[in-house]
Amino acid sequence: MCRNVCASVLLALMLFFGVPSLASAQNIIGTQSNYSGSKALMINPALISTSFLYFDAGLSFGVYSYNDLMYLKSRDFSKFLFSGYNSWSSYDWTMYNQYGVPHEFLYVRDTMPNSLTESIDLNILSMFINIDSRQSLALSLNNRVYSSVTNLPWEFGRIAIEGLDSLYFDRYSSEDIRIATMEWSELALGYSRTVYDRFLNKFDVGISLKGIIAYGGAVLNVNNLDYEILSKDTSNVYAIDADIHYAAPLNYSSQFSSNDVFMSDKLKNGLGFGVDFGFVYTKRKSVGMNRRSVSSCDMDPVLYRWRLGVSVTDIGFVKFKGNARSHHYFNDEPTLFIHSALDDVNSIDDLSKTLSAIYFHGDSLASVVGDEFTMTLPSSLNMQLDFNINDKFYVGAMWIQPFALSENSVRKAAQIVVSPRFENEYFDFILPVTLYDYSKMFLGAEMRLWFFSIGTQNILSFCGIGDFYGMDLYFSLKFNILKGRCLGSGRDACWNSDFR
Protein backbone atom coordinates (compact mmCIF):
# COMPACT_ATOMS: atom_id res chain seq x y z
CA MET A 1 0.00 0.00 0.00
CA CYS A 2 2.77 2.42 0.90
CA ARG A 3 4.26 1.86 -2.53
CA ASN A 4 0.96 2.79 -4.19
CA VAL A 5 0.59 5.93 -2.09
CA CYS A 6 4.14 7.06 -2.85
CA ALA A 7 3.67 6.34 -6.54
CA SER A 8 0.49 8.40 -6.75
CA VAL A 9 2.09 11.35 -4.96
CA LEU A 10 5.08 11.18 -7.26
CA LEU A 11 2.87 11.01 -10.32
CA ALA A 12 0.91 14.08 -9.24
CA LEU A 13 4.12 16.05 -8.75
CA MET A 14 5.56 14.86 -12.03
CA LEU A 15 2.67 16.30 -14.00
CA PHE A 16 4.44 19.63 -13.74
CA PHE A 17 7.54 19.12 -11.64
CA GLY A 18 9.05 15.71 -12.17
CA VAL A 19 11.23 15.76 -9.05
CA PRO A 20 10.06 14.75 -5.58
CA SER A 21 9.73 17.74 -3.25
CA LEU A 22 10.78 18.01 0.31
CA ALA A 23 8.49 19.46 2.82
CA SER A 24 10.41 25.64 7.00
CA ALA A 25 9.69 26.72 10.11
CA GLN A 26 11.71 28.00 12.98
CA ASN A 27 11.92 26.25 16.31
CA ILE A 28 11.93 29.01 18.93
CA ILE A 29 12.39 26.57 21.83
CA GLY A 30 15.49 27.54 23.78
CA THR A 31 15.37 31.25 22.93
CA GLN A 32 12.97 32.67 25.52
CA SER A 33 14.75 32.40 28.86
CA ASN A 34 17.04 35.06 30.33
CA TYR A 35 19.59 32.23 30.50
CA SER A 36 19.40 31.44 26.76
CA GLY A 37 22.67 33.24 26.07
CA SER A 38 23.97 32.72 22.54
CA LYS A 39 20.84 30.78 21.52
CA ALA A 40 18.92 34.09 21.50
CA LEU A 41 21.12 35.20 18.59
CA MET A 42 18.88 33.30 16.17
CA ILE A 43 15.76 35.32 17.06
CA ASN A 44 17.20 38.78 17.88
CA PRO A 45 20.94 39.62 18.10
CA ALA A 46 20.19 42.50 20.50
CA LEU A 47 18.98 40.03 23.13
CA ILE A 48 22.48 38.73 23.90
CA SER A 49 23.41 41.93 25.79
CA THR A 50 20.28 41.59 27.94
CA SER A 51 21.13 38.03 29.01
CA PHE A 52 21.69 37.16 32.68
CA LEU A 53 24.85 35.34 31.55
CA TYR A 54 28.35 36.73 31.22
CA PHE A 55 29.60 33.88 29.01
CA ASP A 56 28.33 30.67 27.47
CA ALA A 57 29.50 27.99 25.03
CA GLY A 58 27.69 24.92 23.80
CA LEU A 59 25.81 23.12 21.06
CA SER A 60 22.19 22.41 20.25
CA PHE A 61 20.00 20.48 17.83
CA GLY A 62 16.45 21.13 16.71
CA VAL A 63 14.11 19.51 14.21
CA TYR A 64 10.76 21.00 13.21
CA SER A 65 8.23 19.52 10.76
CA TYR A 66 4.53 20.38 10.36
CA ASN A 67 1.89 20.47 7.63
CA ASP A 68 -1.80 21.30 7.28
CA LEU A 69 -2.62 18.70 4.61
CA MET A 70 -2.41 15.23 6.19
CA TYR A 71 -2.58 14.01 9.75
CA LEU A 72 -2.57 10.90 11.90
CA LYS A 73 -4.40 10.36 15.13
CA SER A 74 -1.87 11.18 17.83
CA ARG A 75 -2.80 8.05 19.79
CA ASP A 76 -1.54 5.93 16.89
CA PHE A 77 1.66 7.93 16.55
CA SER A 78 2.22 7.60 20.29
CA LYS A 79 1.78 3.81 20.06
CA PHE A 80 4.21 3.66 17.16
CA LEU A 81 6.73 5.80 19.04
CA PHE A 82 6.62 4.20 22.46
CA SER A 83 5.12 0.73 22.03
CA GLY A 84 7.38 -0.68 19.34
CA TYR A 85 4.72 -0.90 16.63
CA ASN A 86 6.36 -1.43 13.25
CA SER A 87 3.48 -0.16 11.12
CA TRP A 88 0.89 2.60 11.19
CA SER A 89 -2.72 1.85 11.95
CA SER A 90 -5.10 1.68 8.99
CA TYR A 91 -8.34 3.61 8.79
CA ASP A 92 -11.59 2.51 7.23
CA TRP A 93 -12.78 5.49 5.24
CA THR A 94 -16.28 4.16 4.61
CA MET A 95 -17.79 6.95 6.67
CA TYR A 96 -15.76 9.56 4.79
CA ASN A 97 -15.25 8.05 1.38
CA GLN A 98 -17.57 6.13 -0.92
CA TYR A 99 -14.68 3.89 -1.99
CA GLY A 100 -14.22 2.48 1.52
CA VAL A 101 -10.49 1.94 1.02
CA PRO A 102 -8.32 1.52 4.16
CA HIS A 103 -5.65 4.22 4.45
CA GLU A 104 -2.58 4.86 6.53
CA PHE A 105 -3.17 8.63 6.81
CA LEU A 106 -6.15 10.85 7.29
CA TYR A 107 -6.12 14.26 5.68
CA VAL A 108 -7.90 17.57 5.94
CA ARG A 109 -10.59 17.47 3.29
CA ASP A 110 -11.20 20.97 1.96
CA THR A 111 -10.59 23.01 -1.16
CA MET A 112 -8.02 25.41 0.30
CA PRO A 113 -4.32 25.38 -0.63
CA ASN A 114 -2.12 23.73 1.96
CA SER A 115 1.41 24.12 3.28
CA LEU A 116 4.23 21.93 4.55
CA THR A 117 7.13 23.22 6.61
CA GLU A 118 10.30 21.54 7.78
CA SER A 119 13.63 22.57 9.27
CA ILE A 120 16.65 20.96 10.84
CA ASP A 121 19.02 23.21 12.80
CA LEU A 122 22.31 21.81 14.06
CA ASN A 123 24.18 24.36 16.14
CA ILE A 124 27.70 22.91 16.04
CA LEU A 125 29.16 25.62 18.26
CA SER A 126 27.78 28.78 19.84
CA MET A 127 29.59 31.21 22.13
CA PHE A 128 28.96 34.64 23.52
CA ILE A 129 30.70 36.96 25.98
CA ASN A 130 30.14 40.40 27.44
CA ILE A 131 33.08 42.51 26.27
CA ASP A 132 32.24 45.20 28.80
CA SER A 133 29.16 46.53 30.58
CA ARG A 134 27.69 47.83 27.30
CA GLN A 135 28.86 45.43 24.58
CA SER A 136 28.46 41.72 23.81
CA LEU A 137 29.94 39.53 21.12
CA ALA A 138 28.65 36.16 19.85
CA LEU A 139 29.85 33.48 17.45
CA SER A 140 27.74 30.68 16.01
CA LEU A 141 28.44 27.85 13.55
CA ASN A 142 25.29 26.20 12.22
CA ASN A 143 24.16 23.65 9.68
CA ARG A 144 20.60 24.32 8.49
CA VAL A 145 18.17 22.42 6.29
CA TYR A 146 14.97 24.30 5.43
CA SER A 147 12.16 23.13 3.17
CA SER A 148 8.77 24.66 2.46
CA VAL A 149 5.69 24.11 0.35
CA THR A 150 3.04 26.84 0.03
CA ASN A 151 -0.22 26.89 -1.89
CA LEU A 152 -0.08 23.13 -2.42
CA PRO A 153 -3.31 22.10 -4.22
CA TRP A 154 -5.70 20.30 -1.89
CA GLU A 155 -6.29 17.48 -4.38
CA PHE A 156 -2.71 16.30 -3.94
CA GLY A 157 -3.66 14.99 -0.53
CA ARG A 158 -6.63 13.26 -2.06
CA ILE A 159 -4.43 11.64 -4.71
CA ALA A 160 -1.95 10.49 -2.07
CA ILE A 161 -4.70 8.99 0.09
CA GLU A 162 -7.22 7.64 -2.41
CA GLY A 163 -5.16 7.23 -5.57
CA LEU A 164 -6.06 8.54 -9.00
CA ASP A 165 -9.40 6.74 -9.27
CA SER A 166 -11.28 9.35 -7.26
CA LEU A 167 -10.19 12.19 -9.56
CA TYR A 168 -11.15 10.81 -12.96
CA PHE A 169 -12.67 13.49 -15.19
CA ASP A 170 -12.23 16.19 -12.57
CA ARG A 171 -10.43 19.31 -13.78
CA TYR A 172 -8.10 21.20 -11.46
CA SER A 173 -6.49 24.60 -11.77
CA SER A 174 -3.83 26.09 -9.47
CA GLU A 175 -1.60 29.15 -9.33
CA ASP A 176 1.46 30.33 -7.39
CA ILE A 177 2.57 26.97 -6.01
CA ARG A 178 5.94 27.43 -4.30
CA ILE A 179 8.18 24.50 -3.33
CA ALA A 180 11.74 25.06 -2.12
CA THR A 181 14.46 23.31 -0.15
CA MET A 182 18.03 24.29 0.75
CA GLU A 183 20.86 22.99 2.94
CA TRP A 184 23.69 25.25 4.05
CA SER A 185 26.27 25.95 6.72
CA GLU A 186 26.70 29.43 8.13
CA LEU A 187 29.22 31.17 10.35
CA ALA A 188 27.52 34.02 12.20
CA LEU A 189 29.23 36.84 14.08
CA GLY A 190 26.87 38.81 16.34
CA TYR A 191 27.39 42.12 18.08
CA SER A 192 25.10 43.87 20.55
CA ARG A 193 25.50 47.24 22.25
CA THR A 194 23.61 49.25 24.84
CA VAL A 195 23.11 52.65 23.20
CA TYR A 196 20.97 54.24 25.94
CA ASP A 197 20.79 53.45 29.65
CA ARG A 198 19.40 56.11 31.96
CA PHE A 199 17.10 55.86 34.93
CA LEU A 200 14.49 53.15 34.20
CA ASN A 201 15.07 52.98 30.46
CA LYS A 202 17.55 50.81 28.57
CA PHE A 203 17.89 50.42 24.81
CA ASP A 204 20.05 47.80 23.04
CA VAL A 205 20.72 47.21 19.35
CA GLY A 206 22.31 44.21 17.70
CA ILE A 207 23.43 42.83 14.35
CA SER A 208 24.59 39.44 13.11
CA LEU A 209 26.55 38.91 9.88
CA LYS A 210 26.60 35.46 8.29
CA GLY A 211 28.84 33.86 5.69
CA ILE A 212 27.17 30.93 3.93
CA ILE A 213 28.33 27.80 2.11
CA ALA A 214 25.43 25.91 0.51
CA TYR A 215 25.48 22.22 -0.37
CA GLY A 216 22.28 22.03 -2.34
CA GLY A 217 19.03 23.74 -3.19
CA ALA A 218 15.94 23.23 -5.33
CA VAL A 219 13.03 25.45 -6.27
CA LEU A 220 9.76 24.80 -8.09
CA ASN A 221 7.57 27.79 -8.94
CA VAL A 222 4.31 26.93 -10.65
CA ASN A 223 2.66 30.10 -11.90
CA ASN A 224 -0.17 28.26 -13.60
CA LEU A 225 -1.30 24.62 -13.79
CA ASP A 226 -4.54 23.42 -15.38
CA TYR A 227 -5.03 19.66 -15.79
CA GLU A 228 -7.50 16.80 -15.86
CA ILE A 229 -6.85 13.15 -15.00
CA LEU A 230 -8.55 11.01 -17.64
CA SER A 231 -7.49 7.58 -16.34
CA LYS A 232 -4.73 5.86 -14.44
CA ASP A 233 -2.71 5.95 -17.67
CA THR A 234 -3.37 9.42 -19.09
CA SER A 235 -3.91 13.03 -18.10
CA ASN A 236 -4.68 16.14 -20.10
CA VAL A 237 -2.59 19.19 -19.22
CA TYR A 238 -4.41 22.25 -20.59
CA ALA A 239 -1.81 24.79 -19.46
CA ILE A 240 1.46 24.85 -17.58
CA ASP A 241 3.85 27.67 -16.65
CA ALA A 242 6.57 26.49 -14.27
CA ASP A 243 10.22 27.11 -13.40
CA ILE A 244 12.51 24.62 -11.73
CA HIS A 245 16.03 25.21 -10.45
CA TYR A 246 18.26 22.70 -8.67
CA ALA A 247 21.84 22.24 -7.52
CA ALA A 248 23.06 19.20 -5.60
CA PRO A 249 26.11 16.93 -5.19
CA LEU A 250 24.62 14.48 -7.69
CA ASN A 251 25.55 13.13 -11.09
CA TYR A 252 22.41 14.02 -13.02
CA SER A 253 23.16 11.61 -15.86
CA SER A 254 23.74 8.58 -13.59
CA GLN A 255 20.98 6.09 -12.96
CA PHE A 256 19.11 6.51 -9.68
CA SER A 257 20.29 3.11 -8.47
CA SER A 258 23.93 3.47 -9.50
CA ASN A 259 26.79 3.82 -7.03
CA ASP A 260 28.18 6.98 -8.64
CA VAL A 261 25.04 9.10 -8.43
CA PHE A 262 26.45 10.91 -5.37
CA MET A 263 29.46 13.13 -6.11
CA SER A 264 31.58 13.84 -3.04
CA ASP A 265 33.64 16.43 -4.94
CA LYS A 266 30.53 18.55 -5.62
CA LEU A 267 29.52 19.29 -2.03
CA LYS A 268 29.99 23.07 -2.29
CA ASN A 269 27.50 24.34 -4.86
CA GLY A 270 26.68 27.84 -3.63
CA LEU A 271 28.00 30.83 -1.67
CA GLY A 272 26.01 33.52 0.06
CA PHE A 273 25.65 36.15 2.75
CA GLY A 274 23.06 36.96 5.38
CA VAL A 275 22.30 39.50 8.08
CA ASP A 276 20.03 39.72 11.15
CA PHE A 277 19.39 42.94 13.08
CA GLY A 278 17.16 44.12 15.89
CA PHE A 279 16.66 46.20 19.01
CA VAL A 280 15.43 45.64 22.56
CA TYR A 281 13.84 48.19 24.90
CA THR A 282 13.97 47.30 28.60
CA LYS A 283 11.91 48.93 31.35
CA ARG A 284 13.95 48.50 34.51
CA LYS A 285 12.55 47.63 37.91
CA SER A 286 14.84 50.17 39.55
CA VAL A 287 17.40 52.77 38.57
CA GLY A 288 20.69 51.14 37.61
CA MET A 289 23.90 52.03 39.42
CA ASN A 290 26.71 53.66 37.51
CA ARG A 291 29.50 51.09 37.87
CA ARG A 292 31.69 51.77 34.83
CA SER A 293 34.84 50.84 36.75
CA VAL A 294 33.54 47.36 37.50
CA SER A 295 34.52 44.56 35.10
CA SER A 296 31.85 43.25 32.75
CA CYS A 297 31.51 39.87 34.45
CA ASP A 298 31.07 41.64 37.79
CA MET A 299 28.02 43.54 36.56
CA ASP A 300 24.71 42.33 37.96
CA PRO A 301 21.99 41.40 35.44
CA VAL A 302 19.39 44.06 34.71
CA LEU A 303 16.11 43.21 36.44
CA TYR A 304 13.13 44.51 34.50
CA ARG A 305 9.39 45.01 34.61
CA TRP A 306 8.93 44.35 30.92
CA ARG A 307 10.97 44.13 27.75
CA LEU A 308 10.15 44.60 24.07
CA GLY A 309 12.26 43.42 21.14
CA VAL A 310 11.86 43.75 17.37
CA SER A 311 14.11 42.03 14.85
CA VAL A 312 14.43 41.07 11.19
CA THR A 313 16.26 37.79 10.55
CA ASP A 314 17.68 35.90 7.59
CA ILE A 315 17.97 38.75 5.13
CA GLY A 316 20.30 37.25 2.54
CA PHE A 317 20.87 35.09 -0.48
CA VAL A 318 22.79 32.12 -1.89
CA LYS A 319 24.14 32.08 -5.44
CA PHE A 320 24.27 28.56 -6.89
CA LYS A 321 26.82 28.11 -9.67
CA GLY A 322 28.21 24.66 -8.98
CA ASN A 323 26.38 21.76 -10.67
CA ALA A 324 23.28 23.93 -11.13
CA ARG A 325 20.43 23.59 -13.63
CA SER A 326 17.47 25.81 -14.53
CA HIS A 327 14.44 24.75 -16.58
CA HIS A 328 11.30 26.51 -17.74
CA TYR A 329 8.19 24.59 -18.81
CA PHE A 330 5.43 26.40 -20.68
CA ASN A 331 2.51 25.26 -22.77
CA ASP A 332 -0.89 26.88 -23.23
CA GLU A 333 -2.31 24.21 -25.53
CA PRO A 334 -3.94 20.96 -24.37
CA THR A 335 -1.25 18.28 -24.08
CA LEU A 336 -1.88 14.59 -23.52
CA PHE A 337 0.36 13.32 -20.71
CA ILE A 338 0.85 9.56 -21.03
CA HIS A 339 2.03 8.31 -17.65
CA SER A 340 3.97 5.40 -19.12
CA ALA A 341 6.38 7.95 -20.66
CA LEU A 342 8.00 8.00 -17.22
CA ASP A 343 8.64 4.24 -17.18
CA ASP A 344 11.98 4.59 -18.95
CA VAL A 345 13.22 7.44 -16.76
CA ASN A 346 16.39 6.28 -15.00
CA SER A 347 18.15 9.55 -14.13
CA ILE A 348 17.45 13.22 -13.42
CA ASP A 349 18.58 14.15 -16.93
CA ASP A 350 16.21 11.54 -18.37
CA LEU A 351 13.38 13.08 -16.39
CA SER A 352 14.04 16.67 -17.50
CA LYS A 353 14.39 15.60 -21.15
CA THR A 354 11.18 13.56 -21.02
CA LEU A 355 9.16 16.43 -19.56
CA SER A 356 10.68 18.86 -22.04
CA ALA A 357 9.73 16.60 -24.95
CA ILE A 358 6.14 16.36 -23.65
CA TYR A 359 5.59 20.09 -23.25
CA PHE A 360 7.75 21.35 -26.15
CA HIS A 361 6.52 19.08 -28.94
CA GLY A 362 9.38 16.57 -28.87
CA ASP A 363 12.27 18.96 -28.15
CA SER A 364 14.07 17.34 -25.19
CA LEU A 365 16.39 20.33 -24.56
CA ALA A 366 13.99 23.26 -24.98
CA SER A 367 13.32 23.56 -21.25
CA VAL A 368 16.96 24.33 -20.36
CA VAL A 369 17.38 28.05 -19.62
CA GLY A 370 20.58 28.30 -17.54
CA ASP A 371 23.21 26.77 -15.28
CA GLU A 372 23.00 29.11 -12.27
CA PHE A 373 20.33 30.59 -10.02
CA THR A 374 19.89 32.50 -6.75
CA MET A 375 17.84 31.56 -3.68
CA THR A 376 16.97 33.81 -0.75
CA LEU A 377 16.93 32.88 2.94
CA PRO A 378 13.76 32.28 5.02
CA SER A 379 13.32 35.90 6.12
CA SER A 380 11.00 36.96 8.94
CA LEU A 381 9.90 39.94 11.03
CA ASN A 382 9.92 39.04 14.73
CA MET A 383 8.62 40.66 17.91
CA GLN A 384 9.36 39.58 21.48
CA LEU A 385 7.52 40.84 24.58
CA ASP A 386 8.39 39.68 28.10
CA PHE A 387 6.76 40.56 31.44
CA ASN A 388 8.36 39.93 34.83
CA ILE A 389 5.60 38.81 37.21
CA ASN A 390 8.07 38.48 40.08
CA ASP A 391 11.74 37.51 40.40
CA LYS A 392 11.18 33.95 39.14
CA PHE A 393 7.96 33.99 37.10
CA TYR A 394 7.63 35.52 33.64
CA VAL A 395 5.18 35.59 30.76
CA GLY A 396 6.65 35.99 27.30
CA ALA A 397 5.09 36.44 23.88
CA MET A 398 6.64 36.10 20.44
CA TRP A 399 5.38 36.81 16.94
CA ILE A 400 7.13 35.50 13.81
CA GLN A 401 5.85 36.77 10.47
CA PRO A 402 7.68 35.30 7.46
CA PHE A 403 8.18 37.10 4.17
CA ALA A 404 9.92 36.16 0.94
CA LEU A 405 12.57 38.33 -0.71
CA SER A 406 12.08 36.52 -4.02
CA GLU A 407 10.12 33.71 -5.63
CA ASN A 408 13.13 31.44 -5.14
CA SER A 409 12.93 31.39 -1.37
CA VAL A 410 12.51 28.87 1.41
CA ARG A 411 9.90 30.06 3.88
CA LYS A 412 9.21 29.82 7.58
CA ALA A 413 5.76 29.33 9.05
CA ALA A 414 4.03 32.17 10.90
CA GLN A 415 3.85 31.69 14.67
CA ILE A 416 2.36 33.45 17.68
CA VAL A 417 3.68 32.03 20.95
CA VAL A 418 2.66 32.86 24.53
CA SER A 419 4.97 31.32 27.14
CA PRO A 420 4.52 31.43 30.91
CA ARG A 421 7.74 30.31 32.57
CA PHE A 422 9.59 29.77 35.82
CA GLU A 423 13.33 30.36 35.76
CA ASN A 424 16.32 30.64 38.03
CA GLU A 425 20.05 30.01 37.73
CA TYR A 426 19.73 26.23 37.60
CA PHE A 427 16.25 25.45 36.37
CA ASP A 428 13.75 26.66 33.75
CA PHE A 429 10.30 25.37 33.01
CA ILE A 430 8.29 26.87 30.14
CA LEU A 431 4.83 26.07 28.77
CA PRO A 432 4.61 27.65 25.30
CA VAL A 433 1.19 27.90 23.65
CA THR A 434 1.69 28.27 19.88
CA LEU A 435 -0.68 29.42 17.15
CA TYR A 436 0.95 27.79 14.12
CA ASP A 437 0.41 29.40 10.72
CA TYR A 438 -2.63 31.24 12.15
CA SER A 439 -4.61 28.00 11.97
CA LYS A 440 -3.58 25.41 14.59
CA MET A 441 -2.96 25.59 18.32
CA PHE A 442 -0.19 23.61 20.03
CA LEU A 443 0.81 23.21 23.68
CA GLY A 444 4.50 22.65 24.34
CA ALA A 445 6.92 22.18 27.21
CA GLU A 446 10.56 23.07 27.76
CA MET A 447 12.88 22.34 30.68
CA ARG A 448 16.44 23.33 31.50
CA LEU A 449 18.36 21.60 34.27
CA TRP A 450 21.86 22.99 34.75
CA PHE A 451 23.72 22.15 31.56
CA PHE A 452 20.94 20.34 29.67
CA SER A 453 17.81 21.69 27.95
CA ILE A 454 15.06 19.81 26.12
CA GLY A 455 11.76 20.95 24.73
CA THR A 456 8.99 20.74 22.14
CA GLN A 457 6.28 23.12 20.96
CA ASN A 458 3.72 20.31 20.71
CA ILE A 459 4.02 17.85 23.58
CA LEU A 460 0.43 16.65 23.17
CA SER A 461 1.34 14.77 19.99
CA PHE A 462 3.81 12.68 21.98
CA CYS A 463 1.13 12.01 24.59
CA GLY A 464 -1.38 10.70 22.06
CA ILE A 465 -3.79 13.64 22.36
CA GLY A 466 -5.39 15.27 19.32
CA ASP A 467 -4.37 14.94 15.69
CA PHE A 468 -0.78 14.50 14.62
CA TYR A 469 0.23 17.04 11.95
CA GLY A 470 3.95 16.86 12.67
CA MET A 471 6.47 17.19 15.46
CA ASP A 472 9.43 19.14 16.75
CA LEU A 473 12.16 18.48 19.29
CA TYR A 474 15.03 20.56 20.65
CA PHE A 475 17.90 19.91 23.04
CA SER A 476 21.11 21.68 24.01
CA LEU A 477 24.24 21.26 26.12
CA LYS A 478 25.85 24.43 27.42
CA PHE A 479 28.46 25.67 29.84
CA ASN A 480 28.00 29.22 31.14
CA ILE A 481 29.06 31.77 33.72
CA LEU A 482 26.54 34.07 35.33
CA LYS A 483 26.84 37.83 35.44
CA GLY A 484 28.03 39.15 38.77
CA ARG A 485 30.11 36.07 39.62
CA CYS A 486 33.67 36.26 38.41
CA LEU A 487 37.21 35.53 39.40
CA GLY A 488 38.65 38.34 41.50
CA SER A 489 35.23 39.69 42.34
CA GLY A 490 35.32 38.69 45.96
CA ARG A 491 32.75 36.01 45.21
CA ASP A 492 33.44 32.32 44.82
CA ALA A 493 34.16 31.51 41.15
CA CYS A 494 33.83 27.73 41.27
CA TRP A 495 30.26 27.20 42.27
CA ASN A 496 29.09 30.11 40.16
CA SER A 497 30.32 28.47 36.92
CA ASP A 498 26.81 27.41 36.20
CA PHE A 499 26.19 24.62 33.69
CA ARG A 500 23.23 24.79 31.31
Side-chain angles (χ1 to χ4, degrees):
M1 176 181 176
C2 183
R3 180 181 302 174
N4 294 334
V5 170
C6 292
S8 58
V9 173
L10 185 59
L11 175 59
L13 290 172
M14 284 183 172
L15 283 174
F16 58 92
F17 186 25
V19 177
S21 70
L22 301 175
S24 180
Q26 181 174 19
N27 195 325
I28 52 85
I29 296 294
T31 65
Q32 303 174 82
S33 170
N34 285 305
Y35 299 90
S36 297
S38 56
K39 179 64 177 176
L41 186 68
M42 66 175 288
I43 197 69
N44 187 343
L47 282 172
I48 59 175
S49 61
T50 68
S51 174
F52 286 7
L53 304 178
Y54 161 68
F55 167 86
D56 84 352
L59 58 86
S60 64
F61 174 79
V63 59
Y64 191 107
S65 180
Y66 286 97
N67 80 97
D68 60 6
L69 178 64
M70 300 181 186
Y71 64 91
L72 285 169
K73 289 297 183 182
S74 286
R75 62 176 181 268
D76 295 319
F77 174 75
S78 181
K79 290 177 182 177
F80 177 84
L81 198 63
F82 299 112
S83 302
Y85 283 27
N86 57 10
S87 63
W88 302 108
S89 296
S90 293
Y91 297 87
D92 184 356
W93 271 61
T94 307
M95 60 180 295
Y96 302 100
N97 175 5
Q98 60 178 316
Y99 303 99
V101 179
H103 299 289
E104 294 178 339
F105 289 88
L106 296 177
Y107 70 95
V108 179
R109 181 188 290 272
D110 57 33
T111 56
M112 298 295 292
N114 297 274
S115 65
L116 297 91
T117 60
E118 179 181 271
S119 68
I120 300 174
D121 290 285
L122 174 59
N123 176 230
I124 301 170
L125 174 65
S126 63
M127 300 176 63
F128 107 99
I129 189 170
N130 285 276
I131 303 173
D132 56 35
S133 60
R134 303 179 71 89
Q135 301 179 93
S136 298
L137 193 65
L139 180 70
S140 182
L141 177 60
N142 309 292
N143 186 263
R144 302 171 68 183
V145 182
Y146 272 58
S147 304
S148 59
V149 179
T150 55
N151 291 327
L152 184 69
W154 68 273
E155 69 268 17
F156 278 47
R158 186 173 171 184
I159 293 173
I161 297 298
E162 301 175 4
L164 298 175
D165 294 349
S166 62
L167 283 92
Y168 289 170
F169 306 112
D170 287 341
R171 185 167 174 174
Y172 298 93
S173 181
S174 301
E175 296 180 346
D176 300 326
I177 303 170
R178 302 288 181 252
I179 302 176
T181 183
M182 183 164 59
E183 180 178 2
W184 72 96
S185 290
E186 64 182 29
L187 179 63
L189 180 64
Y191 174 77
S192 177
R193 180 181 179 87
T194 302
V195 296
Y196 183 86
D197 190 1
R198 296 192 64 187
F199 305 111
L200 296 177
N201 305 299
K202 184 173 180 285
F203 194 83
D204 298 88
V205 297
I207 188 170
S208 177
L209 304 178
K210 298 183 281 192
I212 296 171
I213 297 176
Y215 309 112
V219 178
L220 166 67
N221 294 319
V222 181
N223 302 310
N224 183 32
L225 175 65
D226 185 0
Y227 70 99
E228 179 183 11
I229 298 177
L230 304 178
S231 70
K232 66 178 181 180
D233 300 315
T234 58
S235 300
N236 201 356
V237 180
Y238 295 97
I240 185 171
D241 181 7
D243 296 287
I244 175 173
H245 315 278
Y246 53 91
L250 301 175
N251 186 338
Y252 302 135
S253 61
S254 293
Q255 294 189 4
F256 295 124
S257 59
S258 67
N259 295 326
D260 63 345
V261 67
F262 179 77
M263 303 174 66
S264 59
D265 59 336
K266 297 287 186 180
L267 288 177
K268 187 178 74 171
N269 290 300
L271 296 174
F273 176 80
V275 61
D276 307 336
F277 55 88
F279 71 84
V280 175
Y281 170 76
T282 303
K283 190 69 172 181
R284 289 177 175 269
K285 271 193 169 183
S286 58
V287 177
M289 296 178 60
N290 185 5
R291 301 175 62 192
R292 294 182 181 272
S293 61
V294 178
S295 66
S296 57
C297 65
D298 239 354
M299 296 293 294
D300 292 323
V302 174
L303 303 180
Y304 58 92
R305 297 185 183 276
W306 58 273
R307 185 171 65 200
L308 172 67
V310 177
S311 62
V312 179
T313 56
D314 285 323
I315 303 296
F317 68 93
V318 174
K319 182 76 171 182
F320 286 98
K321 289 186 176 181
N323 208 31
R325 301 287 189 275
S326 292
H327 295 266
H328 177 68
Y329 298 98
F330 179 84
N331 197 334
D332 57 1
E333 300 176 353
T335 302
L336 189 64
F337 189 103
I338 301 174
H339 305 163
S340 60
L342 302 174
D343 291 347
D344 295 328
V345 169
N346 295 309
S347 68
I348 295 176
D349 280 348
D350 284 350
L351 185 57
S352 64
K353 290 176 181 179
T354 300
L355 292 174
S356 180
I358 291 172
Y359 295 120
F360 290 102
H361 308 290
D363 190 340
S364 62
L365 299 177
S367 67
V368 179
V369 294
D371 58 2
E372 62 180 53
F373 64 96
T374 300
M375 292 183 68
T376 50
L377 301 180
S379 309
S380 64
L381 171 66
N382 317 290
M383 294 184 65
Q384 311 90 36
L385 184 61
D386 204 38
F387 291 95
N388 186 350
I389 307 303
N390 59 36
D391 289 342
K392 304 298 181 183
F393 289 94
Y394 299 79
V395 176
M398 187 178 300
W399 174 52
I400 299 175
Q401 176 58 47
F403 60 91
L405 294 175
S406 71
E407 286 188 344
N408 299 342
S409 179
V410 283
R411 292 166 169 82
K412 299 171 184 172
Q415 296 184 66
I416 297 176
V417 186
V418 177
S419 305
R421 74 180 188 273
F422 170 87
E423 68 175 32
N424 62 28
E425 303 169 11
Y426 310 108
F427 180 77
D428 288 352
F429 186 73
I430 307 174
L431 285 174
V433 179
T434 302
L435 178 62
Y436 166 81
D437 210 22
Y438 303 122
S439 60
K440 294 180 177 61
M441 194 79 72
F442 298 139
L443 174 65
E446 177 188 355
M447 183 179 69
R448 171 182 64 90
L449 185 62
W450 281 287
F451 58 88
F452 180 70
S453 298
I454 188 169
T456 175
Q457 285 183 254
N458 188 13
I459 195 170
L460 297 184
S461 64
F462 293 95
C463 300
I465 300 174
D467 298 323
F468 180 78
Y469 289 89
M471 62 175 291
D472 68 282
L473 188 64
Y474 164 85
F475 69 85
S476 71
L477 292 168
K478 283 190 176 184
F479 165 82
N480 62 42
I481 301 175
L482 298 173
K483 281 181 177 177
R485 299 180 179 177
C486 309
L487 289 169
S489 66
R491 309 176 188 180
D492 187 89
C494 295
W495 62 270
N496 61 41
S497 294
D498 172 41
F499 284 83
R500 173 171 185 259

